[in-house]
């Protein structure tokens, strides 16, 4: 799917300097009268200072260098001499030194190309450095002026350049930018020719026929090699036809030309053709040499060239031809916390956290489980199930959303907004996609075995090809995301009608649906690496499901939304059709017609059969439901520990002691909102403790109780069972006996343990007791009703439950405070705030202050939990909500109290509560 909301992006082609338009429309049909074309079209250049000049005609490097009919100069002789030295070195070196020497020579010239030329171009692009050097050294200053310190160099350069361009070029009149570019070209000629020749010589040094290779493999290898070399040659020639010497030698780093280029031919086949498919010959030469050394050095060279493109060329293209727009011209868009990308990972976001935990679980499960047929089948089944859900399940959801907005209707029904529905869909799709590919990778891991001999057969080649296909899919995904953005990646036009329009930039210039082929290349790469029939089957099913998703989900929606705006043929398709011979083109047209007719027949058949199939499914569901209702059955599972025998829960007991809250919550139970009988509450012995204050727990148990018994703190409503705890304590637990668990934090809080109970009421049992204190991270930092549970011997079987108690934060009483008396108001807030701060800071002397002016400990800045605890307590106590960053910024209780008072006074006109200070403004009588 190719959808975008921003049309400012460019196609990103190699040196695509303008939007592709044909400036030679009169020559398209080739019918122009030759007699009228007596004068060639001139090209005008423009320097940075606005100087306009006629760009002379230049020729390609190879013809100028190797064609004996072309004039030669000193630089040509130097280049040919260096190339001849390379060849003589190959034949003079001993056999053992040829490979390492020419590997080093080639890497030197490749580094000179990608690093050396790259640095020069970077300096020229950013600082116009090459031209500045020419001015500083006065290379092109006419000696007649007396300002050129090296007249001999001036004459040499003049002779060298004018020999190469005998027509329409005058050394003295050409701008300094153009002359600098011509000198730079000569350096490029030397590096590029030496780079290519040294690579070929290295391939010759490594070339051989593997021992035991069959004649069929040899024929296939040589056929593939020469075909790719021929294809590479055609790519380079056609690319030069389009971009000419101007772009071939990075001319726009020096000056611009006043013309538009027509990017057809090879530029319709692939992005950056000179750097992508233009290096196919490297792999053809590797096949001819039958050498993995040549293959790997080819991969290194290709990767270096792509890095050159990304780091040097693309930034310059963006700067020159796609400069940033002014702020007033940028459309206003809300800030979006994007979901994709490493920089956007936020583990505090639910979907990112869930994804991380799931990936960690799948990775650990794949690593720790043995590589048995059972586990291989399990991982294969998981990968298949998630692939089916990813393609079929999400396809059904999107189809229903496209037809009747089912997804959005659901969230609107439960009171959510469309934006919330869109956010949930993005997380849903992202999580499912991650699961799909994670389980596939895990299945590949279980099927893969490390080769014993990497040189056996095609083992090494399989890994290289597989890794290349995986890299191709990653590049495809990145290109799709760069073109579509998150809106298109997550099928935004299924959910919103924002006037989006189709874009055919980046990879979509060449393919209408790159996911159809390239989108599953990595799956086939995994199959080739593992060489497993199961993974091949999984890749095939995934590929077919992807094609089905595009045809049955995306295509109908795109046709419904965009109609005739859909492009029928992509750039690659057009190029192939134009290249086909007439008989083949006619046959291909006939096949397309048959396929279209068959597709329409299948769609009509499915539309006709769908109601009958739906009725049949409904009947099956109704009959099955009736059958289960007629013969009900119930399966009950009870979780009991096998070692509970001999332990009587009646001998276990827990009592709780804590600091009662200063402002009782019992008064809030009679607020006047109740009925008459409910306004007079019973006197209950309800335990209500302060927020964050330590809680002491006293326990009693038989002397033979489990040494790993432990007590946990839970919310009362969290566990349905009184016999078994169903939830984890999440760290809020303490063992009854120390040194029983391998944890440094578990024993924190134990005061006493296994103290004999002398005055026991039970004469038939010896009892012991102990005490512990829950504080800090072992408390719940929220309000609610809680209980302690005594568990048996490291399990979750409950032996005793404490009396429930409430954690309550009392509201600050503003009714008795004169808010107009700022000093008294602030003093009251400080007095109420200090114990709250101390509790939130665990009453730790290194963190919690003892006076309002004492600064907070440094832990408050390092660990955000303290600030979050405090702002929650402030919100509940004073009714003022702050961000956690306020706490370390204020630094002590006095500053925080001032902030509370100031916020309260600012918000007082909007408060409806009664106080002795200024609250809601009273209308003045006239």
């Amino acid at each position: 799917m190719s959808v975008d909301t921003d049309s400012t992006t460019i196609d990103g082609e190699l040196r695509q300097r303008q939007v592709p338009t044909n400036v030679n429309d009169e020559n398209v049909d080739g019918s122009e009268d030759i007699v009228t074309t007596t004068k060639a079209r001139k090209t005008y250049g423009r320097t940075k200072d606005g100087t306009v000049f006629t760009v002379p005609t230049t020729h390609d490097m190879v013809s100028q260098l190797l064609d004996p009919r072309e004039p030669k100069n000193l630089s040509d002789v130097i280049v040919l001499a260096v190339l001849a030295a390379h060849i003589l070195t190959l034949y003079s070196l001993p056999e053992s030194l040829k490979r390492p020497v020419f590997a080093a020579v080639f890497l030197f010239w490749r580094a000179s190309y990608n690093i050396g030329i790259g640095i020069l171009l970077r300096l020229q692009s950013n600082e116009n450095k090459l031209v500045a050097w020419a001015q500083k050294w006065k290379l092109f200053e006419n000696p007649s002026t007396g300002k050129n310190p090296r007249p001999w160099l001036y004459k040499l350069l003049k002779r060298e350049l004018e020999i190469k361009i005998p027509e329409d070029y005058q050394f003295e009149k050409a701008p300094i930018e153009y002359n600098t570019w011509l000198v730079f070209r000569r350096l490029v000629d030397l590096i590029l020719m030496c780079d290519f020749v040294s690579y070929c010589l290295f391939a010759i040094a490594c070339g051989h026929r593997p021992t035991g290779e069959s004649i069929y493999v040899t024929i296939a290898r040589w056929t593939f090699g020469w075909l790719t070399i021929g294809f590479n040659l055609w790519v380079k020639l056609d690319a030069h036809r389009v971009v000419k010497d101007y772009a071939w030698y990075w001319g726009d780093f020096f000056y611009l030309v006043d013309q538009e280029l027509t990017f057809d031919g090879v530029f319709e086949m692939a992005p950056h053709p000179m750097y992508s498919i233009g290096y196919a010959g490297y792999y053809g030469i590797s096949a001819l040499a039958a050498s993995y050394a040549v293959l790997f050095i080819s991969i290194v060279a290709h990767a270096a060239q792509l890095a050159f493109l990304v780091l040097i060329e693309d930034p310059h293209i963006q700067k020159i031809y796609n400069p940033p727009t002014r702020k007033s011209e940028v459309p206003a868009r809300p800030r979006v916390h994007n979901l994709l990308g490493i920089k956007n990972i936020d583990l505090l976001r639910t979907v990112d956290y869930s994804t991380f935990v799931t990936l960690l679980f799948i990775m650990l499960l794949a690593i720790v489980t043995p590589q048995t047929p059972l586990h291989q089948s399990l991982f294969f089944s998981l990968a298949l199930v998630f692939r089916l859900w990813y393609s079929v399940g999400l396809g059904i959801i999107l189809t229903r959303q496209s037809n009747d907005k089912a997804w959005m209707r659901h969230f609107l029904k439960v009171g959510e907004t469309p934006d919330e529905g869109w956010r949930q869909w993005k997380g849903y799709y992202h999580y499912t996609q991650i699961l799909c590919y994670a389980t596939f990778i895990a299945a590949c891991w279980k099927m893969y075995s490390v080769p014993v001999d990497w040189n056996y057969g095609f083992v090494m080649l399989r890994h290289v090809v597989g890794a290349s296909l995986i890299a191709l899919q990653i590049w495809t995904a990145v290109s799709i995301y760069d073109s579509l953005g998150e809106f298109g990646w997550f099928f935004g036009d299924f959910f919103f009608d924002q006037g989006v329009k189709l874009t055919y930039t980046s990879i979509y210039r060449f393919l209408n649906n790159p996911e159809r082929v390239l989108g599953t290349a990595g799956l086939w790469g995994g199959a080739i690496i593992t060489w497993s029939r199961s993974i091949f089957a999984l890749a095939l099913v995934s590929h077919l499901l992807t094609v089905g998703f595009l045809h049955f989900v995306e295509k109908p929606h795109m046709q419904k939304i965009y109609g005739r705006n859909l492009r029928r043929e992509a750039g690659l398709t057009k190029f192939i059709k134009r290249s086909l011979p007439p008989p083949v083109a006619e046959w291909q047209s006939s096949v397309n017609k048959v396929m279209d007719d068959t597709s329409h027949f299948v769609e009509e058949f499915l539309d006709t059969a769908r109601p009958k199939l739906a009725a049949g499914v409904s009947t099956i569901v109704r009959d099955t439901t009736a059958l289960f209702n007629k013969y009900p059955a119930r399966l009950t599972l009870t979780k009991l520990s096998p070692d509970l025998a001999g332990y009587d829960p009646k001998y276990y007991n827990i009592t709780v002691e804590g600091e009662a809250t200063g402002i009782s919550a019992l008064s809030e139970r009679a607020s006047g909102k109740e009925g008459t009988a409910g306004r007079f509450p019973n006197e209950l012995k309800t335990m209500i403790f302060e927020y964050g204050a330590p809680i002491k727990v006293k326990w009693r148990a038989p002397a033979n109780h489990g040494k790993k018994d432990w007590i946990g703190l839970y919310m009362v409503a969290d566990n349905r069972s009184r016999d078994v705890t169903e939830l984890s304590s999440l760290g809020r637990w303490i063992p009854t006996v120390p040194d029983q668990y391998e944890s440094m934090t578990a024993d924190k809080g134990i005061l006493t343990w296994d103290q004999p109970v002398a005055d026991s009421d039970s004469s038939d049992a010896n009892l012991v007791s102990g005490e512990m204190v829950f504080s800090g991270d072992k408390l719940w930092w929220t309000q609610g009703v809680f209980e302690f549970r005594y568990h048996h011997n490291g399990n979750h079987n409950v032996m005793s439950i404490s009396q429930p108690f409430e954690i309550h934060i009392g509201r600050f009483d503003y009714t008795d405070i004169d808010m107009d008396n700022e000093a008294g108001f602030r003093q009251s807030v400080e007095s109420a705030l200090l114990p709250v701060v101390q509790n939130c800071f665990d009453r730790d002397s290194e963190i919690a202050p003892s006076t309002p002016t004492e600064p907070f400990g440094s832990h408050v800045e390092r660990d955000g939990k303290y600030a979050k605890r405090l702002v929650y307590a402030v919100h509940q106590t004073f009714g003022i909500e702050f961000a956690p960053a306020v706490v370390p910024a204020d630094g002590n209780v006095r500053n925080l109290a001032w902030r509370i008072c100031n916020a309260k006074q600012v918000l007082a006109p909007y408060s409806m509560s009664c106080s002795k200070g200024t609250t809601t403004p009273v209308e003045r009588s006239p």
Side-chain angles (χ1 to χ4, degrees):
M1 182 174 64
S2 180
V3 183
D4 196 6
T5 56
D6 186 7
S7 62
T8 61
T9 58
I10 65 172
D11 287 351
E13 289 307 305
L14 175 66
R15 306 188 181 96
Q16 178 167 339
R17 308 319 194 196
Q18 301 289 342
V19 178
T21 56
N22 197 333
V23 297
N24 297 320
D25 292 336
E26 67 274 12
N27 296 328
V28 171
D29 57 357
S31 60
E32 183 184 3
D33 188 359
I34 301 177
V35 177
T36 61
T37 314
T38 57
K39 191 174 182 179
R41 180 187 296 271
K42 290 185 178 181
T43 300
Y44 294 95
R46 188 184 302 272
T47 63
K48 292 183 178 180
D49 59 4
T51 302
V52 178
F53 66 99
T54 301
V55 179
T57 302
T58 57
H59 302 282
D60 64 275
M61 167 183 58
V62 178
S63 62
Q64 284 188 330
L65 190 63
L66 301 181
D67 191 345
R69 297 171 297 179
E70 294 290 335
K72 301 294 185 290
N73 57 13
L74 180 61
S75 60
D76 291 335
V77 175
I78 294 174
V79 172
L80 292 174
V82 173
L83 297 181
H86 282 71
I87 297 173
L88 291 176
T89 303
L90 175 66
Y91 287 98
S92 61
L93 283 175
E95 197 66 30
S96 60
L97 294 179
K98 289 182 179 180
R99 294 186 181 184
V101 168
F102 273 90
V105 170
F106 170 67
L107 292 177
F108 167 77
W109 287 116
R110 174 54 54 169
S112 300
Y113 182 1
N114 297 134
I115 299 177
I117 294 179
I119 292 175
L120 292 178
L121 289 176
R122 193 61 166 296
L123 293 174
Q124 175 62 24
S125 175
N126 296 336
E127 307 172 22
N128 202 29
K129 184 67 73 174
L130 298 186
V131 176
W133 286 344
Q135 292 174 337
K136 177 182 178 181
W137 297 333
K138 303 182 185 303
L139 294 181
F140 308 110
E141 189 75 32
N142 197 318
S144 61
T145 62
K147 298 179 180 180
N148 193 327
R150 291 171 288 272
W152 63 270
L153 182 58
Y154 176 87
K155 295 178 181 178
L156 175 64
L157 292 176
K158 174 180 171 63
R159 182 175 64 255
E160 289 289 309
L161 298 181
E162 289 185 345
I163 289 176
K164 304 303 293 185
I165 314 176
E167 301 177 358
D168 60 17
Y169 172 69
Q170 294 182 8
F171 181 77
E172 297 84 354
K173 295 183 179 180
I176 187 174
E177 290 84 359
Y178 186 75
N179 284 336
T180 305
W181 176 64
L182 291 179
V183 174
F184 173 74
R185 279 189 54 168
R186 305 313 296 162
L187 175 64
V188 172
D189 288 343
L190 172 65
I191 294 176
L192 264 61
M193 289 301 298
C194 291
D195 173 79
F196 177 71
V197 170
S198 61
Y199 172 81
C200 293
L201 295 177
F202 175 71
I204 293 173
C206 296
H208 71 291
R209 181 181 179 183
T211 304
E213 183 182 70
S214 66
I215 186 63
Y216 302 104
V217 175
T218 303
I219 293 174
R221 183 164 53 82
W222 278 73
T223 302
F224 170 79
W226 285 112
L227 285 177
T228 52
I229 292 173
F231 174 74
N232 195 156
L233 180 61
W234 172 80
V235 169
K236 295 291 187 181
L237 293 176
D238 198 61
H240 187 271
R241 174 189 63 84
V242 175
V243 302
K244 307 295 189 298
D245 279 0
Y246 167 71
W248 189 278
Y249 287 100
W250 304 281
D252 56 359
F253 281 75
F254 298 84
Y255 64 94
L256 299 178
V257 292
D258 293 339
Q259 76 173 32
E260 296 179 355
L261 301 178
T262 303
F263 287 89
D264 56 1
V266 69
F267 284 90
E268 293 180 326
M269 288 189 63
H272 316 296
M274 289 199 296
Y275 291 168
S276 55
I277 59 176
Y279 272 71
Y282 269 31
Y283 304 104
I285 294 176
S286 302
L288 293 179
S291 170
Y292 284 114
V294 180
L295 176 61
F296 289 138
I297 208 169
S298 300
I299 294 174
V300 171
H302 198 175
Q305 194 65 26
L306 294 176
F308 176 85
L309 170 69
V310 173
L311 299 177
I312 305 300
E313 285 212 29
D314 274 352
H316 180 76
I317 293 173
Q318 296 296 326
K319 180 176 71 173
I320 299 298
Y321 302 102
N322 189 30
T325 57
R326 297 179 181 272
K327 292 184 178 181
S328 59
E329 298 174 355
V330 177
R333 293 181 179 177
R335 285 189 174 183
V336 179
H337 192 182
N338 289 334
L339 196 59
L340 298 182
I342 297 177
K343 294 182 179 180
N344 294 319
I345 294 177
D346 184 358
L347 293 181
L348 300 182
R349 185 166 49 188
T350 304
V351 63
D352 289 348
Y353 174 75
S354 303
T355 301
F356 175 77
V357 173
T358 303
L359 290 177
L360 184 62
F361 173 76
I362 293 175
M363 181 185 70
L364 292 176
L365 193 63
I367 292 175
V368 302
T369 55
Q371 227 167 348
T372 61
L374 175 62
H375 290 89
Q376 290 176 342
S377 301
L378 174 62
F379 278 92
F380 174 83
S381 301
L382 283 176
L384 181 61
V385 167
F386 282 114
R387 170 57 66 173
L388 288 171
W389 176 245
Y390 175 63
S391 298
V392 179
L394 297 190
I396 294 174
I397 293 175
L398 285 174
T399 300
R400 295 188 60 199
Q401 171 65 22
S402 176
N403 295 335
D404 56 8
K405 303 296 181 183
W407 182 275
M408 283 302 187
R409 286 178 183 272
H410 167 77
F411 284 93
L412 293 175
K413 180 178 68 175
V414 297
E416 299 290 353
T417 63
D419 289 339
E420 175 64 17
W422 167 242
R423 188 177 69 86
Q424 293 294 337
W425 161 255
K426 291 199 300 181
Y428 194 89
Y429 179 85
H430 177 67
Y431 186 70
T432 305
Q433 187 180 49
I434 293 296
L435 276 179
C436 176
Y437 282 97
T439 52
F440 179 85
I441 295 173
C444 291
W445 173 265
K446 302 307 292 184
M447 303 293 180
Y448 177 74
S449 58
V450 179
V452 178
D453 184 5
W454 286 87
N455 295 319
Y456 175 76
F458 297 102
V459 172
M460 182 73 73
L461 183 61
R462 285 196 291 106
H463 285 75
V464 172
V465 173
S468 301
L469 290 175
I470 293 172
L472 177 61
Q473 179 169 343
I474 294 174
W475 172 81
T476 302
V478 172
S479 299
I480 292 174
Y481 181 75
D482 288 342
S483 179
L484 304 183
E486 291 222 343
F487 185 84
W489 181 272
F490 290 108
F491 308 93
D493 55 357
F494 279 74
F495 299 86
F496 299 102
D497 183 13
Q498 297 183 345
V500 295
K501 54 185 178 181
L502 291 170
T503 176
Y504 292 110
T505 59
S506 187
I507 193 172
Y508 285 97
R509 184 185 175 204
F510 315 98
L511 299 169
N512 283 343
N513 285 304
E515 306 99 322
R516 188 184 300 273
V517 178
L518 304 182
T520 57
L523 305 181
W524 292 107
I528 293 174
I529 290 176
T530 59
W531 208 246
S532 167
R533 287 179 293 180
S534 300
I535 302 301
F536 270 104
L538 194 57
L540 177 61
V541 170
S542 302
H543 197 151
L544 294 177
L545 288 174
T546 300
V547 173
F549 180 89
L550 294 173
H551 185 77
F552 294 106
V553 179
E554 276 200 27
K555 185 177 179 181
H557 180 78
M558 298 281 285
Q559 290 175 340
K560 180 173 67 175
I561 298 297
Y562 303 104
R564 296 182 178 179
N565 292 327
L566 285 174
R567 183 180 63 180
R568 294 183 59 86
E569 294 180 344
L572 180 59
T573 305
K574 294 179 180 178
F575 172 78
I576 294 175
K577 285 187 175 181
R578 286 200 303 264
S579 303
L580 292 176
V584 179
E586 294 177 2
W587 176 82
Q588 191 260 351
S589 177
S590 302
V591 171
N592 287 343
K593 182 179 180 181
V594 173
M595 293 296 294
D596 290 340
D597 294 341
T598 304
S599 175
H600 291 317
F601 170 77
V602 173
E603 291 177 356
E604 292 176 358
F605 174 78
L606 292 177
D607 291 339
T608 305
R610 188 177 291 113
K612 297 181 180 180
L613 292 175
V617 172
S618 301
T619 303
I620 294 174
V621 173
R622 183 175 63 252
D623 294 344
T624 305
T625 304
L627 181 63
F628 278 110
N629 291 333
K630 186 176 181 180
Y631 302 101
R634 175 173 295 179
L635 180 65
T636 303
L637 297 177
T638 304
K639 295 185 292 185
L640 295 175
S641 178
D643 58 348
L644 284 178
Y647 295 95
D648 192 344
K650 71 179 182 180
Y651 297 127
Y652 293 80
N653 184 46
I654 301 177
T655 57
V656 181
E657 296 179 2
E659 298 182 12
T661 181
I663 304 175
S664 176
L666 293 176
S667 60
E668 298 179 2
R669 300 187 179 183
S671 59
K673 300 187 292 294
E674 304 79 14
T676 303
R679 297 178 185 177
F680 305 94
N682 299 324
E683 292 188 7
L684 300 176
K685 296 183 180 180
T686 304
M687 294 188 297
I688 304 177
F689 300 148
E690 285 187 6
Y691 171 80
I695 301 175
K696 180 181 289 187
V697 177
K698 297 181 179 180
W699 58 270
R700 188 181 65 185
N704 64 339
H705 72 92
K707 296 304 180 183
K708 287 192 173 184
D709 289 359
W710 58 282
I711 297 175
L713 176 60
Y714 298 89
M715 280 190 170
V716 171
D718 282 351
N719 288 284
R720 297 171 297 175
S721 173
R722 310 295 288 177
D723 299 323
V724 178
T725 298
E726 301 171 334
L727 301 176
S728 169
S729 64
L730 301 177
R732 302 179 183 94
W733 68 282
I734 298 177
T736 57
V737 180
D739 301 327
Q740 300 300 314
Y741 293 89
E742 297 178 353
S743 173
M744 299 180 60
T745 60
D747 295 343
K748 183 180 179 181
I750 298 178
L751 301 179
T752 62
W753 65 93
D754 287 351
Q755 300 294 320
V757 178
D759 54 347
S760 174
D761 297 334
S762 302
S763 58
D764 56 345
N766 295 325
L767 303 180
V768 293
S769 65
E771 296 181 2
M772 57 184 63
V773 174
F774 282 75
S775 62
D777 292 338
K778 297 190 177 183
L779 294 175
W780 283 83
W781 291 95
T782 186
Q783 299 184 93
V785 180
F786 304 89
E787 64 185 8
F788 286 99
R789 292 184 164 218
Y790 188 111
H791 301 88
H792 173 68
N793 205 27
N795 296 316
H796 284 75
N797 300 100
V798 179
M799 308 304 292
S800 179
I801 300 178
S802 71
Q803 177 186 343
F805 59 93
E806 183 178 356
I807 300 296
H808 181 75
I809 302 177
R811 303 282 294 182
F812 183 77
D813 190 0
Y814 290 98
T815 57
D816 296 330
I817 303 297
D818 185 3
M819 296 179 61
D820 292 332
N821 182 1
E822 295 185 5
F825 181 33
R826 187 180 305 174
Q827 182 69 29
S828 300
V829 172
E830 286 182 6
S831 301
L833 181 61
L834 180 60
V836 174
V837 172
Q838 292 172 338
N839 286 342
C840 291
F841 292 173
D842 297 338
R843 298 189 179 181
D844 188 338
S845 59
E846 296 183 357
I847 306 176
S850 57
T851 64
T853 57
E854 184 178 352
F856 300 153
S858 59
H859 288 76
V860 176
E861 295 183 1
R862 297 180 182 179
D863 197 337
K865 66 182 181 182
Y866 299 107
K868 293 178 181 178
R869 294 174 184 175
L870 184 53
V871 295
Y872 172 78
V874 169
H875 187 202
Q876 301 300 319
T877 303
F878 300 99
I880 305 296
E881 185 175 6
F882 292 125
V886 167
V887 176
D890 286 340
N892 61 30
V893 172
R894 176 154 295 174
N895 292 340
L896 186 58
W898 174 87
R899 188 180 295 275
I900 293 172
C901 296
N902 184 64
K904 190 65 181 178
Q905 291 173 347
V906 170
L907 298 175
Y910 308 100
S911 173
M912 299 304 295
S913 61
C914 299
S915 71
K916 292 186 178 181
T918 304
T919 56
T920 305
V922 179
E923 182 181 359
R924 297 181 180 180
S925 57

